[in-house]
Amino acid sequence: MQKKPIYLWVLLILSAVLSALSLFGVLSPVPTADSMAGLETSGVDATYAQELVAYTIKVTEHSHSIFNIILVILSAILVTVALVFLVRQNIQLANYTYVAYVLVAIVGSIYNFMGVQDAVLLFTEPNVRFGAELGAKGATILGIVINVIFLGLVFYKIWQQQKELTESQEEELV
């Protein structure tokens, strides 16, 4: 009896949720200064509020760039295809498709980090800028580390499955 690839189900479900959230982010409209006008009257310092509005708009515009939209759609397609392969019990193709998804996710993390770095420059207060930079770096590093761990796990499982296949073929020959 073939072992169930529980690891791949868990990874793909998590990735499907993240892809759905990314798709939702791409489909949501870019905010305007008028739509965020309530921030300035909420008791926040006027300069900081204007900078925060400009920052939010710039980051959202970056996330709506054609390159990012292509990455998000590609990642959603790869997760869907991997899930289809997994349902059809083609674990090897599901693994390879998931590896492609993880590589696209890493590229997307780096691309989003570069966009946030441009937007951080809109803050004039050094402490606020430092905090925004630190948050962006932390989120990017965490995302890449998690993706590399997932990638390592899938490569280990691919290696393990290949080893088991080789052993079973050797036993058949004997």
Side-chain angles (χ1 to χ4, degrees):
M1 181 171 168
Q2 189 176 9
K3 294 180 184 176
K4 303 248 186 246
I6 305 287
Y7 72 97
L8 198 52
W9 278 108
V10 171
L11 294 177
L12 280 170
I13 289 170
L14 288 173
S15 299
V17 169
L18 290 174
S19 289
L21 290 173
S22 296
L23 274 173
F24 178 74
V26 166
L27 295 175
S28 64
V30 176
T32 62
D34 293 336
S35 68
M36 298 183 71
L39 183 65
E40 294 175 7
T41 60
S42 66
V44 178
D45 179 38
T47 305
Y48 174 69
Q50 289 173 346
E51 291 172 354
L52 186 58
V53 167
Y55 171 82
T56 303
I57 291 170
K58 185 152 178 107
V59 168
T60 309
E61 286 173 346
H62 180 77
S63 72
H64 283 71
S65 70
I66 191 71
F67 183 73
N68 195 56
I69 291 172
I70 290 170
L71 287 176
V72 168
I73 291 171
L74 182 60
S75 69
I77 290 170
L78 287 170
V79 167
T80 304
V81 169
L83 281 168
V84 169
F85 284 143
L86 190 56
V87 167
R88 292 184 177 181
Q89 296 296 314
N90 194 337
I91 297 167
Q92 185 177 15
L93 283 177
N95 279 326
Y96 293 144
T97 307
Y98 186 75
V99 166
Y101 163 79
V102 170
L103 295 175
V104 168
I106 290 171
V107 169
S109 293
I110 294 168
Y111 180 74
N112 288 330
F113 173 73
M114 291 184 320
V116 170
Q117 289 305 301
D118 289 340
V120 164
L121 299 175
L122 296 171
F123 291 116
T124 56
E125 171 66 33
N127 290 333
V128 174
R129 182 183 297 166
F130 176 74
E133 286 175 351
L134 192 61
K137 287 177 185 174
T140 302
I141 290 170
L142 180 65
I144 290 174
V145 166
I146 288 171
N147 279 315
V148 168
I149 290 170
F150 288 175
L151 194 61
L153 175 64
V154 172
F155 277 138
Y156 172 74
K157 289 296 189 173
I158 289 172
W159 173 77
Q160 193 176 38
Q161 290 163 0
Q162 190 62 39
K163 183 179 170 186
E164 289 172 3
L165 181 65
T166 304
E167 289 173 357
S168 68
Q169 288 175 347
E170 287 175 357
E171 289 175 3
E172 289 176 5
L173 293 175
V174 173

